[in-house]
Amino acid sequence: MTFQHPARKGTEGERGRFERFAELASNFTSSPVFAVLCLGLVVAFVAVHLAGLSTEWQILVGDSMAAVALLLLAMLKNAERRAEHAIQRKLDAIARALLELQEGGRGQAYEDLKAAVRMEERL
């Protein structure tokens, strides 16, 4: 268990297993298939209650919906933190490159700015 920012784990430009999983999950949860799955869970929830099935069935459907919501929250937070980190690094690179340009030349800040392009795809 770690309390380190998710974008700072691993080596530079390399994503860990959880980050790759979170990216795949993010792609899946933004698909029409996932929307249909969620709609199916909601329909099952309503059907179980309208049919008057036992409490066990109601709890099963309700717990399934809660589990999906909790997983979505974890994936969303991970993606948000990685995007936030990439944006901050890009802003820092822009600021350094502008300062360097005012001082009259291209140097390491210019190279950092070039490297920051499309950074969010590597984190």
Side-chain angles (χ1 to χ4, degrees), residues 25-65:
S26 177
N27 292 339
F28 174 68
T29 56
S30 62
S31 72
V33 173
F34 184 73
V36 169
L37 177 78
C38 288
L39 183 62
L41 275 174
V42 171
V43 167
F45 179 78
V46 171
V48 164
H49 283 285
L50 289 178
L53 294 178
S54 68
T55 305
E56 288 84 14
W57 280 102
Q58 293 176 14
I59 290 172
L60 177 68
V61 173
D63 286 351
S64 298
M65 291 175 61

PDB file of all heavy atoms in Angstrom, residues 25-65:
ATOM      1  N   ALA A  25     -10.453   0.036 -18.069  1.00  0.00           N
ATOM      2  CA  ALA A  25     -11.761   0.147 -17.427  1.00  0.00           C
ATOM      3  C   ALA A  25     -12.435   1.452 -17.802  1.00  0.00           C
ATOM      4  O   ALA A  25     -13.651   1.496 -18.030  1.00  0.00           O
ATOM      5  CB  ALA A  25     -11.616   0.041 -15.908  1.00  0.00           C
ATOM      6  N   SER A  26     -11.652   2.530 -17.890  1.00  0.00           N
ATOM      7  CA  SER A  26     -12.203   3.820 -18.294  1.00  0.00           C
ATOM      8  C   SER A  26     -12.751   3.757 -19.716  1.00  0.00           C
ATOM      9  O   SER A  26     -13.827   4.286 -20.006  1.00  0.00           O
ATOM     10  CB  SER A  26     -11.126   4.897 -18.181  1.00  0.00           C
ATOM     11  OG  SER A  26     -11.611   6.132 -18.627  1.00  0.00           O
ATOM     12  N   ASN A  27     -12.015   3.102 -20.601  1.00  0.00           N
ATOM     13  CA  ASN A  27     -12.486   2.945 -21.980  1.00  0.00           C
ATOM     14  C   ASN A  27     -13.765   2.111 -22.028  1.00  0.00           C
ATOM     15  O   ASN A  27     -14.690   2.432 -22.775  1.00  0.00           O
ATOM     16  CB  ASN A  27     -11.408   2.309 -22.850  1.00  0.00           C
ATOM     17  CG  ASN A  27     -10.225   3.219 -23.045  1.00  0.00           C
ATOM     18  OD1 ASN A  27     -10.322   4.431 -22.891  1.00  0.00           O
ATOM     19  ND2 ASN A  27      -9.095   2.638 -23.387  1.00  0.00           N
ATOM     20  N   PHE A  28     -13.802   1.043 -21.233  1.00  0.00           N
ATOM     21  CA  PHE A  28     -15.000   0.193 -21.214  1.00  0.00           C
ATOM     22  C   PHE A  28     -16.197   0.926 -20.630  1.00  0.00           C
ATOM     23  O   PHE A  28     -17.299   0.839 -21.160  1.00  0.00           O
ATOM     24  CB  PHE A  28     -14.730  -1.092 -20.418  1.00  0.00           C
ATOM     25  CG  PHE A  28     -15.958  -1.941 -20.251  1.00  0.00           C
ATOM     26  CD1 PHE A  28     -16.530  -2.575 -21.340  1.00  0.00           C
ATOM     27  CD2 PHE A  28     -16.544  -2.104 -19.005  1.00  0.00           C
ATOM     28  CE1 PHE A  28     -17.673  -3.350 -21.199  1.00  0.00           C
ATOM     29  CE2 PHE A  28     -17.682  -2.872 -18.842  1.00  0.00           C
ATOM     30  CZ  PHE A  28     -18.246  -3.496 -19.946  1.00  0.00           C
ATOM     31  N   THR A  29     -15.989   1.656 -19.540  1.00  0.00           N
ATOM     32  CA  THR A  29     -17.120   2.322 -18.887  1.00  0.00           C
ATOM     33  C   THR A  29     -17.659   3.497 -19.690  1.00  0.00           C
ATOM     34  O   THR A  29     -18.752   3.967 -19.405  1.00  0.00           O
ATOM     35  CB  THR A  29     -16.745   2.802 -17.472  1.00  0.00           C
ATOM     36  OG1 THR A  29     -15.604   3.657 -17.554  1.00  0.00           O
ATOM     37  CG2 THR A  29     -16.467   1.635 -16.550  1.00  0.00           C
ATOM     38  N   SER A  30     -16.927   3.945 -20.691  1.00  0.00           N
ATOM     39  CA  SER A  30     -17.463   5.010 -21.541  1.00  0.00           C
ATOM     40  C   SER A  30     -18.077   4.440 -22.815  1.00  0.00           C
ATOM     41  O   SER A  30     -18.438   5.191 -23.717  1.00  0.00           O
ATOM     42  CB  SER A  30     -16.364   6.020 -21.881  1.00  0.00           C
ATOM     43  OG  SER A  30     -15.339   5.391 -22.612  1.00  0.00           O
ATOM     44  N   SER A  31     -18.219   3.131 -22.878  1.00  0.00           N
ATOM     45  CA  SER A  31     -18.773   2.489 -24.072  1.00  0.00           C
ATOM     46  C   SER A  31     -20.281   2.270 -23.929  1.00  0.00           C
ATOM     47  O   SER A  31     -20.819   2.224 -22.818  1.00  0.00           O
ATOM     48  CB  SER A  31     -18.088   1.144 -24.308  1.00  0.00           C
ATOM     49  OG  SER A  31     -18.514   0.204 -23.339  1.00  0.00           O
ATOM     50  N   PRO A  32     -20.965   2.112 -25.049  1.00  0.00           N
ATOM     51  CA  PRO A  32     -22.396   1.807 -25.015  1.00  0.00           C
ATOM     52  C   PRO A  32     -22.700   0.477 -24.325  1.00  0.00           C
ATOM     53  O   PRO A  32     -23.748   0.325 -23.700  1.00  0.00           O
ATOM     54  CB  PRO A  32     -22.803   1.752 -26.490  1.00  0.00           C
ATOM     55  CG  PRO A  32     -21.754   2.506 -27.223  1.00  0.00           C
ATOM     56  CD  PRO A  32     -20.499   2.345 -26.417  1.00  0.00           C
ATOM     57  N   VAL A  33     -21.785  -0.476 -24.421  1.00  0.00           N
ATOM     58  CA  VAL A  33     -21.989  -1.786 -23.780  1.00  0.00           C
ATOM     59  C   VAL A  33     -22.151  -1.612 -22.272  1.00  0.00           C
ATOM     60  O   VAL A  33     -23.029  -2.221 -21.647  1.00  0.00           O
ATOM     61  CB  VAL A  33     -20.812  -2.735 -24.103  1.00  0.00           C
ATOM     62  CG1 VAL A  33     -20.916  -4.024 -23.312  1.00  0.00           C
ATOM     63  CG2 VAL A  33     -20.749  -3.012 -25.586  1.00  0.00           C
ATOM     64  N   PHE A  34     -21.294  -0.765 -21.676  1.00  0.00           N
ATOM     65  CA  PHE A  34     -21.386  -0.547 -20.233  1.00  0.00           C
ATOM     66  C   PHE A  34     -22.680   0.177 -19.871  1.00  0.00           C
ATOM     67  O   PHE A  34     -23.298  -0.124 -18.842  1.00  0.00           O
ATOM     68  CB  PHE A  34     -20.180   0.240 -19.728  1.00  0.00           C
ATOM     69  CG  PHE A  34     -20.170   0.400 -18.243  1.00  0.00           C
ATOM     70  CD1 PHE A  34     -19.863  -0.667 -17.423  1.00  0.00           C
ATOM     71  CD2 PHE A  34     -20.492   1.611 -17.663  1.00  0.00           C
ATOM     72  CE1 PHE A  34     -19.872  -0.532 -16.044  1.00  0.00           C
ATOM     73  CE2 PHE A  34     -20.501   1.756 -16.292  1.00  0.00           C
ATOM     74  CZ  PHE A  34     -20.184   0.685 -15.477  1.00  0.00           C
ATOM     75  N   ALA A  35     -23.103   1.116 -20.705  1.00  0.00           N
ATOM     76  CA  ALA A  35     -24.363   1.821 -20.450  1.00  0.00           C
ATOM     77  C   ALA A  35     -25.530   0.831 -20.443  1.00  0.00           C
ATOM     78  O   ALA A  35     -26.421   0.910 -19.590  1.00  0.00           O
ATOM     79  CB  ALA A  35     -24.580   2.911 -21.495  1.00  0.00           C
ATOM     80  N   VAL A  36     -25.503  -0.110 -21.372  1.00  0.00           N
ATOM     81  CA  VAL A  36     -26.559  -1.136 -21.414  1.00  0.00           C
ATOM     82  C   VAL A  36     -26.477  -2.028 -20.174  1.00  0.00           C
ATOM     83  O   VAL A  36     -27.510  -2.382 -19.589  1.00  0.00           O
ATOM     84  CB  VAL A  36     -26.447  -1.971 -22.713  1.00  0.00           C
ATOM     85  CG1 VAL A  36     -27.339  -3.191 -22.676  1.00  0.00           C
ATOM     86  CG2 VAL A  36     -26.773  -1.107 -23.922  1.00  0.00           C
ATOM     87  N   LEU A  37     -25.268  -2.365 -19.744  1.00  0.00           N
ATOM     88  CA  LEU A  37     -25.093  -3.170 -18.533  1.00  0.00           C
ATOM     89  C   LEU A  37     -25.676  -2.451 -17.312  1.00  0.00           C
ATOM     90  O   LEU A  37     -26.400  -3.055 -16.511  1.00  0.00           O
ATOM     91  CB  LEU A  37     -23.611  -3.480 -18.308  1.00  0.00           C
ATOM     92  CG  LEU A  37     -23.276  -4.251 -17.042  1.00  0.00           C
ATOM     93  CD1 LEU A  37     -23.606  -5.722 -17.238  1.00  0.00           C
ATOM     94  CD2 LEU A  37     -21.831  -4.072 -16.673  1.00  0.00           C
ATOM     95  N   CYS A  38     -25.388  -1.164 -17.185  1.00  0.00           N
ATOM     96  CA  CYS A  38     -25.927  -0.389 -16.060  1.00  0.00           C
ATOM     97  C   CYS A  38     -27.448  -0.287 -16.134  1.00  0.00           C
ATOM     98  O   CYS A  38     -28.134  -0.402 -15.117  1.00  0.00           O
ATOM     99  CB  CYS A  38     -25.305   1.007 -16.039  1.00  0.00           C
ATOM    100  SG  CYS A  38     -23.584   1.001 -15.514  1.00  0.00           S
ATOM    101  N   LEU A  39     -27.943  -0.075 -17.335  1.00  0.00           N
ATOM    102  CA  LEU A  39     -29.397  -0.034 -17.507  1.00  0.00           C
ATOM    103  C   LEU A  39     -30.012  -1.362 -17.112  1.00  0.00           C
ATOM    104  O   LEU A  39     -31.060  -1.414 -16.465  1.00  0.00           O
ATOM    105  CB  LEU A  39     -29.741   0.318 -18.956  1.00  0.00           C
ATOM    106  CG  LEU A  39     -31.218   0.477 -19.274  1.00  0.00           C
ATOM    107  CD1 LEU A  39     -31.818   1.630 -18.460  1.00  0.00           C
ATOM    108  CD2 LEU A  39     -31.415   0.725 -20.758  1.00  0.00           C
ATOM    109  N   GLY A  40     -29.336  -2.457 -17.473  1.00  0.00           N
ATOM    110  CA  GLY A  40     -29.812  -3.791 -17.076  1.00  0.00           C
ATOM    111  C   GLY A  40     -29.838  -3.962 -15.568  1.00  0.00           C
ATOM    112  O   GLY A  40     -30.784  -4.548 -15.016  1.00  0.00           O
ATOM    113  N   LEU A  41     -28.819  -3.444 -14.874  1.00  0.00           N
ATOM    114  CA  LEU A  41     -28.815  -3.513 -13.403  1.00  0.00           C
ATOM    115  C   LEU A  41     -29.970  -2.719 -12.806  1.00  0.00           C
ATOM    116  O   LEU A  41     -30.622  -3.173 -11.857  1.00  0.00           O
ATOM    117  CB  LEU A  41     -27.494  -2.993 -12.855  1.00  0.00           C
ATOM    118  CG  LEU A  41     -26.337  -3.970 -12.784  1.00  0.00           C
ATOM    119  CD1 LEU A  41     -25.058  -3.262 -12.351  1.00  0.00           C
ATOM    120  CD2 LEU A  41     -26.643  -5.110 -11.841  1.00  0.00           C
ATOM    121  N   VAL A  42     -30.228  -1.549 -13.359  1.00  0.00           N
ATOM    122  CA  VAL A  42     -31.339  -0.724 -12.848  1.00  0.00           C
ATOM    123  C   VAL A  42     -32.673  -1.412 -13.117  1.00  0.00           C
ATOM    124  O   VAL A  42     -33.552  -1.451 -12.240  1.00  0.00           O
ATOM    125  CB  VAL A  42     -31.298   0.693 -13.467  1.00  0.00           C
ATOM    126  CG1 VAL A  42     -32.541   1.475 -13.138  1.00  0.00           C
ATOM    127  CG2 VAL A  42     -30.051   1.436 -12.989  1.00  0.00           C
ATOM    128  N   VAL A  43     -32.832  -1.980 -14.304  1.00  0.00           N
ATOM    129  CA  VAL A  43     -34.071  -2.702 -14.627  1.00  0.00           C
ATOM    130  C   VAL A  43     -34.229  -3.903 -13.702  1.00  0.00           C
ATOM    131  O   VAL A  43     -35.333  -4.172 -13.202  1.00  0.00           O
ATOM    132  CB  VAL A  43     -34.079  -3.123 -16.115  1.00  0.00           C
ATOM    133  CG1 VAL A  43     -35.176  -4.127 -16.408  1.00  0.00           C
ATOM    134  CG2 VAL A  43     -34.216  -1.896 -17.006  1.00  0.00           C
ATOM    135  N   ALA A  44     -33.138  -4.621 -13.445  1.00  0.00           N
ATOM    136  CA  ALA A  44     -33.205  -5.764 -12.526  1.00  0.00           C
ATOM    137  C   ALA A  44     -33.593  -5.310 -11.125  1.00  0.00           C
ATOM    138  O   ALA A  44     -34.400  -5.968 -10.458  1.00  0.00           O
ATOM    139  CB  ALA A  44     -31.856  -6.485 -12.495  1.00  0.00           C
ATOM    140  N   PHE A  45     -33.042  -4.166 -10.695  1.00  0.00           N
ATOM    141  CA  PHE A  45     -33.371  -3.631  -9.379  1.00  0.00           C
ATOM    142  C   PHE A  45     -34.863  -3.336  -9.277  1.00  0.00           C
ATOM    143  O   PHE A  45     -35.530  -3.738  -8.314  1.00  0.00           O
ATOM    144  CB  PHE A  45     -32.545  -2.355  -9.143  1.00  0.00           C
ATOM    145  CG  PHE A  45     -32.796  -1.691  -7.827  1.00  0.00           C
ATOM    146  CD1 PHE A  45     -32.239  -2.195  -6.668  1.00  0.00           C
ATOM    147  CD2 PHE A  45     -33.586  -0.555  -7.756  1.00  0.00           C
ATOM    148  CE1 PHE A  45     -32.464  -1.575  -5.444  1.00  0.00           C
ATOM    149  CE2 PHE A  45     -33.815   0.068  -6.538  1.00  0.00           C
ATOM    150  CZ  PHE A  45     -33.256  -0.449  -5.388  1.00  0.00           C
ATOM    151  N   VAL A  46     -35.385  -2.651 -10.272  1.00  0.00           N
ATOM    152  CA  VAL A  46     -36.818  -2.314 -10.267  1.00  0.00           C
ATOM    153  C   VAL A  46     -37.663  -3.574 -10.375  1.00  0.00           C
ATOM    154  O   VAL A  46     -38.663  -3.726  -9.650  1.00  0.00           O
ATOM    155  CB  VAL A  46     -37.138  -1.323 -11.415  1.00  0.00           C
ATOM    156  CG1 VAL A  46     -38.623  -1.131 -11.584  1.00  0.00           C
ATOM    157  CG2 VAL A  46     -36.444   0.004 -11.167  1.00  0.00           C
ATOM    158  N   ALA A  47     -37.269  -4.515 -11.242  1.00  0.00           N
ATOM    159  CA  ALA A  47     -38.043  -5.738 -11.428  1.00  0.00           C
ATOM    160  C   ALA A  47     -38.093  -6.577 -10.156  1.00  0.00           C
ATOM    161  O   ALA A  47     -39.150  -7.122  -9.804  1.00  0.00           O
ATOM    162  CB  ALA A  47     -37.446  -6.562 -12.576  1.00  0.00           C
ATOM    163  N   VAL A  48     -36.981  -6.670  -9.463  1.00  0.00           N
ATOM    164  CA  VAL A  48     -36.943  -7.446  -8.222  1.00  0.00           C
ATOM    165  C   VAL A  48     -37.886  -6.843  -7.182  1.00  0.00           C
ATOM    166  O   VAL A  48     -38.599  -7.561  -6.486  1.00  0.00           O
ATOM    167  CB  VAL A  48     -35.491  -7.534  -7.686  1.00  0.00           C
ATOM    168  CG1 VAL A  48     -35.450  -7.974  -6.238  1.00  0.00           C
ATOM    169  CG2 VAL A  48     -34.675  -8.485  -8.540  1.00  0.00           C
ATOM    170  N   HIS A  49     -37.894  -5.521  -7.105  1.00  0.00           N
ATOM    171  CA  HIS A  49     -38.782  -4.871  -6.131  1.00  0.00           C
ATOM    172  C   HIS A  49     -40.247  -4.981  -6.540  1.00  0.00           C
ATOM    173  O   HIS A  49     -41.112  -5.229  -5.685  1.00  0.00           O
ATOM    174  CB  HIS A  49     -38.379  -3.410  -5.940  1.00  0.00           C
ATOM    175  CG  HIS A  49     -37.170  -3.241  -5.075  1.00  0.00           C
ATOM    176  ND1 HIS A  49     -37.202  -3.390  -3.714  1.00  0.00           N
ATOM    177  CD2 HIS A  49     -35.880  -2.977  -5.390  1.00  0.00           C
ATOM    178  CE1 HIS A  49     -35.992  -3.208  -3.210  1.00  0.00           C
ATOM    179  NE2 HIS A  49     -35.160  -2.961  -4.222  1.00  0.00           N
ATOM    180  N   LEU A  50     -40.532  -4.784  -7.822  1.00  0.00           N
ATOM    181  CA  LEU A  50     -41.922  -4.883  -8.271  1.00  0.00           C
ATOM    182  C   LEU A  50     -42.449  -6.307  -8.185  1.00  0.00           C
ATOM    183  O   LEU A  50     -43.638  -6.518  -7.915  1.00  0.00           O
ATOM    184  CB  LEU A  50     -42.052  -4.366  -9.709  1.00  0.00           C
ATOM    185  CG  LEU A  50     -41.897  -2.856  -9.898  1.00  0.00           C
ATOM    186  CD1 LEU A  50     -42.003  -2.488 -11.363  1.00  0.00           C
ATOM    187  CD2 LEU A  50     -42.933  -2.097  -9.076  1.00  0.00           C
ATOM    188  N   ALA A  51     -41.575  -7.276  -8.416  1.00  0.00           N
ATOM    189  CA  ALA A  51     -41.999  -8.676  -8.352  1.00  0.00           C
ATOM    190  C   ALA A  51     -42.165  -9.157  -6.918  1.00  0.00           C
ATOM    191  O   ALA A  51     -42.738 -10.221  -6.684  1.00  0.00           O
ATOM    192  CB  ALA A  51     -40.990  -9.562  -9.079  1.00  0.00           C
ATOM    193  N   GLY A  52     -41.670  -8.363  -5.972  1.00  0.00           N
ATOM    194  CA  GLY A  52     -41.803  -8.751  -4.567  1.00  0.00           C
ATOM    195  C   GLY A  52     -40.960  -9.955  -4.204  1.00  0.00           C
ATOM    196  O   GLY A  52     -41.360 -10.741  -3.334  1.00  0.00           O
ATOM    197  N   LEU A  53     -39.823 -10.118  -4.874  1.00  0.00           N
ATOM    198  CA  LEU A  53     -38.941 -11.245  -4.560  1.00  0.00           C
ATOM    199  C   LEU A  53     -38.367 -11.093  -3.154  1.00  0.00           C
ATOM    200  O   LEU A  53     -38.470 -10.038  -2.533  1.00  0.00           O
ATOM    201  CB  LEU A  53     -37.813 -11.330  -5.588  1.00  0.00           C
ATOM    202  CG  LEU A  53     -38.243 -11.673  -7.021  1.00  0.00           C
ATOM    203  CD1 LEU A  53     -37.050 -11.675  -7.941  1.00  0.00           C
ATOM    204  CD2 LEU A  53     -38.962 -13.013  -7.071  1.00  0.00           C
ATOM    205  N   SER A  54     -37.746 -12.124  -2.704  1.00  0.00           N
ATOM    206  CA  SER A  54     -37.242 -12.151  -1.335  1.00  0.00           C
ATOM    207  C   SER A  54     -36.182 -11.061  -1.103  1.00  0.00           C
ATOM    208  O   SER A  54     -35.586 -10.526  -2.038  1.00  0.00           O
ATOM    209  CB  SER A  54     -36.656 -13.520  -1.009  1.00  0.00           C
ATOM    210  OG  SER A  54     -35.478 -13.720  -1.760  1.00  0.00           O
ATOM    211  N   THR A  55     -35.943 -10.792   0.148  1.00  0.00           N
ATOM    212  CA  THR A  55     -34.963  -9.774   0.541  1.00  0.00           C
ATOM    213  C   THR A  55     -33.576 -10.127   0.044  1.00  0.00           C
ATOM    214  O   THR A  55     -32.798  -9.235  -0.313  1.00  0.00           O
ATOM    215  CB  THR A  55     -34.953  -9.642   2.078  1.00  0.00           C
ATOM    216  OG1 THR A  55     -36.281  -9.381   2.529  1.00  0.00           O
ATOM    217  CG2 THR A  55     -34.050  -8.521   2.517  1.00  0.00           C
ATOM    218  N   GLU A  56     -33.255 -11.407  -0.020  1.00  0.00           N
ATOM    219  CA  GLU A  56     -31.939 -11.812  -0.500  1.00  0.00           C
ATOM    220  C   GLU A  56     -31.694 -11.334  -1.933  1.00  0.00           C
ATOM    221  O   GLU A  56     -30.607 -10.871  -2.268  1.00  0.00           O
ATOM    222  CB  GLU A  56     -31.770 -13.342  -0.420  1.00  0.00           C
ATOM    223  CG  GLU A  56     -31.621 -13.879   0.987  1.00  0.00           C
ATOM    224  CD  GLU A  56     -32.963 -14.094   1.688  1.00  0.00           C
ATOM    225  OE1 GLU A  56     -34.023 -14.073   0.999  1.00  0.00           O
ATOM    226  OE2 GLU A  56     -32.956 -14.255   2.914  1.00  0.00           O
ATOM    227  N   TRP A  57     -32.710 -11.460  -2.785  1.00  0.00           N
ATOM    228  CA  TRP A  57     -32.589 -10.994  -4.169  1.00  0.00           C
ATOM    229  C   TRP A  57     -32.434  -9.478  -4.223  1.00  0.00           C
ATOM    230  O   TRP A  57     -31.660  -8.942  -5.014  1.00  0.00           O
ATOM    231  CB  TRP A  57     -33.803 -11.430  -4.997  1.00  0.00           C
ATOM    232  CG  TRP A  57     -33.693 -12.865  -5.429  1.00  0.00           C
ATOM    233  CD1 TRP A  57     -34.328 -13.935  -4.890  1.00  0.00           C
ATOM    234  CD2 TRP A  57     -32.873 -13.364  -6.482  1.00  0.00           C
ATOM    235  NE1 TRP A  57     -33.961 -15.086  -5.534  1.00  0.00           N
ATOM    236  CE2 TRP A  57     -33.062 -14.752  -6.530  1.00  0.00           C
ATOM    237  CE3 TRP A  57     -32.003 -12.784  -7.385  1.00  0.00           C
ATOM    238  CZ2 TRP A  57     -32.413 -15.569  -7.443  1.00  0.00           C
ATOM    239  CZ3 TRP A  57     -31.353 -13.590  -8.311  1.00  0.00           C
ATOM    240  CH2 TRP A  57     -31.562 -14.954  -8.327  1.00  0.00           C
ATOM    241  N   GLN A  58     -33.197  -8.788  -3.409  1.00  0.00           N
ATOM    242  CA  GLN A  58     -33.101  -7.333  -3.377  1.00  0.00           C
ATOM    243  C   GLN A  58     -31.714  -6.880  -2.921  1.00  0.00           C
ATOM    244  O   GLN A  58     -31.130  -5.958  -3.490  1.00  0.00           O
ATOM    245  CB  GLN A  58     -34.180  -6.764  -2.450  1.00  0.00           C
ATOM    246  CG  GLN A  58     -35.577  -6.959  -2.965  1.00  0.00           C
ATOM    247  CD  GLN A  58     -36.638  -6.479  -1.990  1.00  0.00           C
ATOM    248  OE1 GLN A  58     -36.345  -5.773  -1.033  1.00  0.00           O
ATOM    249  NE2 GLN A  58     -37.888  -6.875  -2.239  1.00  0.00           N
ATOM    250  N   ILE A  59     -31.189  -7.554  -1.927  1.00  0.00           N
ATOM    251  CA  ILE A  59     -29.845  -7.226  -1.436  1.00  0.00           C
ATOM    252  C   ILE A  59     -28.793  -7.549  -2.499  1.00  0.00           C
ATOM    253  O   ILE A  59     -27.859  -6.770  -2.716  1.00  0.00           O
ATOM    254  CB  ILE A  59     -29.561  -7.981  -0.116  1.00  0.00           C
ATOM    255  CG1 ILE A  59     -30.430  -7.400   1.001  1.00  0.00           C
ATOM    256  CG2 ILE A  59     -28.088  -7.909   0.243  1.00  0.00           C
ATOM    257  CD1 ILE A  59     -30.373  -8.175   2.301  1.00  0.00           C
ATOM    258  N   LEU A  60     -28.943  -8.677  -3.182  1.00  0.00           N
ATOM    259  CA  LEU A  60     -27.996  -9.063  -4.226  1.00  0.00           C
ATOM    260  C   LEU A  60     -27.935  -8.011  -5.338  1.00  0.00           C
ATOM    261  O   LEU A  60     -26.849  -7.582  -5.735  1.00  0.00           O
ATOM    262  CB  LEU A  60     -28.376 -10.422  -4.808  1.00  0.00           C
ATOM    263  CG  LEU A  60     -27.507 -10.900  -5.971  1.00  0.00           C
ATOM    264  CD1 LEU A  60     -26.098 -11.209  -5.482  1.00  0.00           C
ATOM    265  CD2 LEU A  60     -28.128 -12.118  -6.623  1.00  0.00           C
ATOM    266  N   VAL A  61     -29.083  -7.576  -5.807  1.00  0.00           N
ATOM    267  CA  VAL A  61     -29.106  -6.585  -6.881  1.00  0.00           C
ATOM    268  C   VAL A  61     -28.582  -5.237  -6.376  1.00  0.00           C
ATOM    269  O   VAL A  61     -27.793  -4.568  -7.045  1.00  0.00           O
ATOM    270  CB  VAL A  61     -30.531  -6.450  -7.457  1.00  0.00           C
ATOM    271  CG1 VAL A  61     -30.604  -5.309  -8.451  1.00  0.00           C
ATOM    272  CG2 VAL A  61     -30.954  -7.741  -8.122  1.00  0.00           C
ATOM    273  N   GLY A  62     -28.983  -4.848  -5.188  1.00  0.00           N
ATOM    274  CA  GLY A  62     -28.511  -3.585  -4.615  1.00  0.00           C
ATOM    275  C   GLY A  62     -27.010  -3.586  -4.366  1.00  0.00           C
ATOM    276  O   GLY A  62     -26.321  -2.596  -4.658  1.00  0.00           O
ATOM    277  N   ASP A  63     -26.502  -4.700  -3.864  1.00  0.00           N
ATOM    278  CA  ASP A  63     -25.057  -4.810  -3.629  1.00  0.00           C
ATOM    279  C   ASP A  63     -24.270  -4.812  -4.944  1.00  0.00           C
ATOM    280  O   ASP A  63     -23.170  -4.272  -5.010  1.00  0.00           O
ATOM    281  CB  ASP A  63     -24.726  -6.072  -2.832  1.00  0.00           C
ATOM    282  CG  ASP A  63     -25.113  -5.939  -1.360  1.00  0.00           C
ATOM    283  OD1 ASP A  63     -25.471  -4.820  -0.943  1.00  0.00           O
ATOM    284  OD2 ASP A  63     -25.049  -6.955  -0.642  1.00  0.00           O
ATOM    285  N   SER A  64     -24.831  -5.417  -5.980  1.00  0.00           N
ATOM    286  CA  SER A  64     -24.173  -5.390  -7.295  1.00  0.00           C
ATOM    287  C   SER A  64     -24.051  -3.963  -7.800  1.00  0.00           C
ATOM    288  O   SER A  64     -22.998  -3.562  -8.321  1.00  0.00           O
ATOM    289  CB  SER A  64     -24.968  -6.223  -8.302  1.00  0.00           C
ATOM    290  OG  SER A  64     -25.026  -7.561  -7.901  1.00  0.00           O
ATOM    291  N   MET A  65     -25.106  -3.182  -7.660  1.00  0.00           N
ATOM    292  CA  MET A  65     -25.069  -1.782  -8.086  1.00  0.00           C
ATOM    293  C   MET A  65     -24.055  -0.990  -7.256  1.00  0.00           C
ATOM    294  O   MET A  65     -23.315  -0.159  -7.796  1.00  0.00           O
ATOM    295  CB  MET A  65     -26.463  -1.163  -7.989  1.00  0.00           C
ATOM    296  CG  MET A  65     -27.432  -1.730  -9.003  1.00  0.00           C
ATOM    297  SD  MET A  65     -29.121  -1.137  -8.829  1.00  0.00           S
ATOM    298  CE  MET A  65     -28.925   0.600  -9.085  1.00  0.00           C
TER     299      MET A  65
END
